[in-house]
Amino acid sequence: MGKTIVIISAAILSFLAGAGICGAQEQQEPPTVTEMAATEAERLERLLGLEYWQVFYVDSTLQHDFQAMKDELEELSKAKVSNSSMYVAVQDKWMEKIDSTYRKFFTDSQWKAYLKSGAAKLQKARDKRKAKAEGK
């Protein structure tokens, strides 16, 4: 189970580090899905000037999708999958879903600011990995 937690934490925390919210924090216990979702929702609220209802949707989306990603990564770990690209593919799938959901309730200016904050670079990296996996 320890290996599973490390893999899951690494996948989810890599998203948060990419989004710039983990910084140099050192914690004994990895944050819970609820804590990660709340932290990211607060960051986006400040960064994008989100309305209260948008913060609710961001938090709800992240709680659901982070948990689903964690569950899927745990299944790979239980199946003793050692191919790291499969773990990355799961992470990419859920991060793509999160971005797709954000686009539905961010205004155009919020979406542009979100992309400029680093999301566009992460999307490009996901697209590049996807194209490589498809052999293009």
Side-chain angles (χ1 to χ4, degrees), residues 55-73:
V55 175
F56 172 79
Y57 280 129
V58 167
D59 186 66
S60 297
T61 296
L62 293 177
Q63 283 192 45
H64 173 271
D65 291 358
F66 281 171
Q67 186 62 52
M69 179 177 14
K70 178 182 173 193
D71 293 345
E72 203 167 326
L73 291 169

Side-chain angles (χ1 to χ4, degrees), residues 1-10 73 77 80-82 87:
M1 185 67 175
K3 181 180 177 185
T4 303
I5 296 299
V6 170
I7 292 169
I8 293 166
S9 295
L73 291 169
S77 181
K80 304 216 185 294
V81 173
S82 61
Y87 291 89

Side-chain angles (χ1 to χ4, degrees), residues 38-107:
T39 302
E40 179 63 358
E42 290 168 9
R43 184 188 77 85
L44 291 174
E45 178 182 26
R46 287 188 307 274
L47 179 70
L48 307 175
L50 299 179
E51 299 288 332
Y52 71 91
W53 62 270
Q54 291 173 305
V55 175
F56 172 79
Y57 280 129
V58 167
D59 186 66
S60 297
T61 296
L62 293 177
Q63 283 192 45
H64 173 271
D65 291 358
F66 281 171
Q67 186 62 52
M69 179 177 14
K70 178 182 173 193
D71 293 345
E72 203 167 326
L73 291 169
E74 283 178 347
E75 288 300 316
L76 288 176
S77 181
K78 285 178 188 174
K80 304 216 185 294
V81 173
S82 61
N83 183 346
S84 63
S85 64
M86 292 186 72
Y87 291 89
V88 172
V90 167
Q91 180 183 359
D92 285 351
K93 175 183 96 172
W94 285 103
M95 297 314 300
E96 200 170 295
K97 184 166 174 30
I98 289 167
D99 281 351
S100 173
T101 303
Y102 284 173
R103 185 64 190 114
K104 293 176 184 176
F105 55 82
F106 284 176
T107 65

Side-chain angles (χ1 to χ4, degrees), residues 21-40:
I21 64 173
C22 282
Q25 293 179 2
E26 291 186 34
Q27 297 179 352
Q28 295 292 347
E29 299 266 333
T32 65
V33 168
T34 303
E35 291 167 339
M36 288 187 297
T39 302
E40 179 63 358

